[in-house]
Amino acid sequence: MEDKLNLQQIKNIIAANIKKFNFSIAELAELAQISRADVYRIVSARTLPDMEVLRRLCKNLGITVNDLIRVDKSNIVSSDK
C-alpha cells in the first residue's frame, strides 16, 4: 500500500507541474531524455522511475526529488494501539 501511495504522490506532483509549465508529454519526454511512453507511465502511476530519471524530470519541472518522495505524515496510520 505504501508503494501505491508514493506512486500516486509522485504522479500528482509531476502532473501538476506539467500543467503549471504547460508542457506536453512529448516536450517533457524530450527535456528529460526519456520516451513519451515512459512519461505517460509515470504520470498515470503505472511505474516508478529510477533516480536518474526522477532527477531529470525534477530539473525540468522546477522541483526537487525530495519534493516528490517526501512522506506526508498525515497519511501514515500508526499500528500502535
Side-chain angles (χ1 to χ4, degrees):
M1 185 70 162
E2 185 175 327
D3 288 341
K4 262 302 200 202
L5 290 174
N6 290 337
L7 269 176
Q8 192 66 35
Q9 176 179 321
I10 289 169
K11 169 206 173 235
N12 291 342
I13 293 169
I14 290 175
N17 280 281
I18 286 172
K19 188 178 236 183
K20 175 182 173 182
F21 289 104
N22 201 28
F23 282 134
S24 68
I25 296 291
E27 289 170 323
L28 183 57
E30 184 177 334
L31 289 168
Q33 301 172 341
I34 60 176
S35 71
R36 290 182 311 221
D38 285 340
V39 173
Y40 177 76
R41 283 190 290 271
I42 293 165
V43 172
S44 61
R46 292 188 177 148
T47 188
L48 184 62
D50 65 33
M51 192 56 103
E52 184 55 36
V53 170
L54 279 178
R55 284 187 185 113
R56 291 194 309 256
L57 287 169
C58 290
K59 177 183 175 189
N60 289 288
L61 292 172
I63 57 177
T64 67
V65 173
N66 283 343
D67 292 333
L68 288 179
I69 62 175
R70 185 174 306 134
V71 175
D72 181 357
K73 296 195 187 310
S74 67
N75 289 334
I76 297 175
V77 177
S78 174
S79 61
D80 297 335
K81 299 264 179 182

